Amino acid sequence: MPLSAPADRAPIHTRRVTCQGFRRADGLWDIEGHLTDVKSYGFHTEERGRLAPGDPIHQMWIRMTVDDQLVVRGIEAVTDDSPYMACGSITPAFQTLVGLRIAAGWTQAVKQRLGGPKGCTHLVELLGPLATTAFQTVFPILAREKAVKAKEEGRPAHDGKERPVLLNMCHILSSDGDVARKNWPEHYTGTDRDPASQGSEAAQ
């Protein structure tokens, strides 16, 4: 269902963010992001002169290479367009992310390394959707391959003792919700929890 009909209005600014995930032949994963900002009107800039409507104020790219555990193994940041000619000089600082794992605390860790004058606002913002794109790229493929291997070996696809990665990541995946009750009963915490499973856990 789309948004409701808007009030009468005129376009002013458009930001586009595109993120893509790729599996590499060497077993690693490339997660790429592209950000652009454009205005619907022309205006003058101090260093680039006049920009026509639709000319990119910002155009930036990041390629982040991660392994199966979402540890950053390599990163490349590029600034093609920016208000000031020296904006792109900060891109080497993004190498400080190499070795960092995309997991809980990712945003805070990025800000510690690249926040404020230590980085570029727009490239740092791009790292947020890149992190979720990495998860969406890597996790489903590995989970599928794990399930296929388990089936071939005659084992259950899911180990009931292993905490699901997706558990409590959003409201629909809450440990006391219907999705958890149906898919991960061993980790379900709702009030209608099966007493037998509670007793099983207590015995462990």
Side-chain angles (χ1 to χ4, degrees):
M1 179 178 176
L3 295 172
S4 60
D8 188 23
R9 62 189 186 178
I12 300 297
H13 181 89
T14 300
R15 166 167 289 189
R16 288 190 173 90
V17 174
T18 302
C19 297
Q20 293 181 281
F22 304 88
R23 191 174 205 175
R24 297 174 22 151
D26 62 4
L28 297 175
W29 310 79
D30 278 345
I31 315 298
E32 292 188 2
H34 181 211
L35 178 151
T36 60
D37 281 322
V38 301
K39 301 288 188 187
S40 63
Y41 55 87
F43 63 99
H44 181 80
T45 65
E46 181 179 348
E47 294 191 8
R48 290 174 58 190
R50 181 169 178 78
L51 296 184
D55 285 348
I57 307 162
H58 301 111
Q59 181 167 202
M60 300 167 177
W61 307 77
I62 294 180
R63 176 185 296 143
M64 197 161 53
T65 301
V66 301
D67 61 19
D68 288 356
Q69 288 72 47
L70 300 186
V71 175
V72 179
R73 296 303 183 189
I75 190 164
E76 180 181 357
V78 174
T79 296
D80 281 337
D81 294 291
S82 57
Y84 299 96
M85 300 303 184
C87 283
S89 64
I90 196 64
T91 54
F94 283 74
Q95 296 302 315
T96 61
L97 299 180
V98 173
L100 191 64
R101 184 170 182 261
I102 299 173
W106 165 259
T107 299
Q108 185 60 35
V110 168
K111 288 182 178 179
Q112 288 175 351
R113 290 162 173 79
L114 297 168
K118 295 184 288 186
C120 164
T121 300
H122 309 290
L123 285 169
V124 168
E125 288 177 356
L126 187 53
L127 288 166
L130 275 179
T132 55
T133 301
F135 187 87
Q136 292 284 348
T137 299
V138 177
F139 176 76
I141 297 297
L142 295 185
R144 182 184 302 175
E145 292 178 349
K146 181 179 179 182
V148 169
K149 184 177 181 181
K151 184 177 181 179
E152 291 174 347
E153 297 175 352
R155 297 182 291 102
H158 301 286
D159 181 351
K161 297 179 181 179
E162 184 178 349
R163 185 182 185 277
V165 175
L166 297 176
L167 192 66
N168 288 323
M169 289 195 71
C170 72
H171 77 98
I172 200 66
L173 300 174
S174 170
S175 62
D176 61 357
D178 285 342
V179 173
R181 179 174 56 81
K182 294 175 182 177
N183 295 282
W184 311 304
E186 300 87 351
H187 301 275
Y188 177 62
T189 60
T191 55
D192 59 338
R193 189 177 182 188
D194 182 1
S197 67
Q198 296 183 46
S200 175
E201 279 194 6
Q204 291 177 7

